[in-house]
Amino acid sequence: RRRMIQQLIFVMSLLSGLTFVSTFVLVDRKTTTISTTMKNIQQSYHYERLSSRTKKLYAATEKDSSIDTPSDQQPKPTVAIVGSGAVGSYYGARLWEGGNYNVKFHMRGEHYQECQANGLNVTSIDGDIFIPPTKLMAYEDTADIGPVDWVIVALKSSSLQVIPKLIVPLLTKTTRVLVIMNGLVEDDLLSMLAKETNTDSNDNELCCGAVYGGMALICSNRLRPGRIDHSYAGLLTGGVATASSASGASNVFDPSHQEAFEMLWKDTKQSIAFEPILLRGRWMKNMWNLPFNTISVAMGGITVDKIVTDPGLRSLAYTIMDETIAIANADLAFHGHADDDNHDDDSTSIWLNEQDKEKMMAFTDIMGPYKTSTMLDLTNRRAMEVQYLFRKPLERAKALNVPAPHLETLVLQVEAMQRFHNLF
């Protein structure tokens, strides 16, 4: 018993001393499991970020796991991954690795054929994952998957219009949907989903349990069919876009929605964070996407390291960040999220600020020769996600009378690239 107590104290000291790189929960993934009572803590690197209610749920499930119950009496819940590319395959593989869910992947084309034949291979800085073809559940048609507990959508925003038809066969009144996409997509997606399911979004009628927005701060690429490489970061931030309740009214602040998101990633190596104000999370991700995706394309297809190491381009990136912060804070204020002048420092501010900007630049400084998603679309002559990633934020700025001349110039250049190469 004394030995166990010593081990427990040692583990807790490790957890309290984890080093944060650029404040983005990039923690040591090689912590050794010391005792079975600490198993969930050791495997859930985001533990300290969880709500207190979720921690109690973790403790309860840890206690229940000691009871040997036949698996056929407690079937695993099911997660469907819609958009099993670089991002969807990675997060889906992490859930499969955790072992708490039946993970079903919606795949297409050569990627589907290769994975069916030889399995899904994910190389990662946080530990490689291989799902053999005998264990991989891959489908070409979402109708063959059927209703599930969670849907994770990881398609590009250029495919927004096809999402409702893809996910409707997966939905029940309790299904939760996590949309991991770039840009300001929620308003249009919810409207399209309501139209597809004959529900009225204006009356808070919802075809599922909840819709979350997801922001992935990750460097992940599909090297070839069946092969995903995760090279840097990985933090997944989620927030509620809309949700149903027993009364039928939207209740995005119900704590059960945060708990469900956090419990989804239990027993995985995935770092997560929950953003109570989804709009803030979207703009935080935009603070990276808008400078680095636009500049990389406007320069003809350059990697991130060239932007941060060139004095002129680095200065331009900072300027775009400043304009993004101004738009974001005006948008937050317009939606009723006023900043609190009584906070002690910028870290507790609702609005984006200089500290957020410097963290994002520091995060990018050590990213290396990363190819942004839009740059890859340009060089590979694929459809570029321009409308929701670039044009929508600029339209929001104009509607709010926030000047953003540098951002507007870059967006015009990106749109010209899209027209020249017909990347729609």
Side-chain angles (χ1 to χ4, degrees), residues 314-336:
R314 185 182 182 88
S315 176
L316 178 58
Y318 266 126
T319 300
I320 300 301
M321 284 183 171
D322 287 335
E323 292 182 353
T324 303
I325 290 173
I327 305 168
N329 292 342
D331 200 18
L332 286 166
F334 178 80
H335 285 87

Side-chain angles (χ1 to χ4, degrees), residues 292 296 301-308 313 368-372 375:
F292 294 104
S296 67
I302 63 173
T303 51
V304 165
D305 59 320
K306 289 182 171 60
I307 298 174
V308 296
L313 293 179
Y370 182 67
K371 299 176 182 179
T372 69
M375 176 265 204

Side-chain angles (χ1 to χ4, degrees), residues 276-293:
I277 303 173
L278 176 58
L279 183 63
R280 185 184 190 279
R282 285 295 184 202
W283 278 112
M284 181 68 77
K285 182 68 186 293
N286 281 342
M287 191 164 55
W288 192 90
N289 277 332
L290 291 179
F292 294 104
N293 273 283

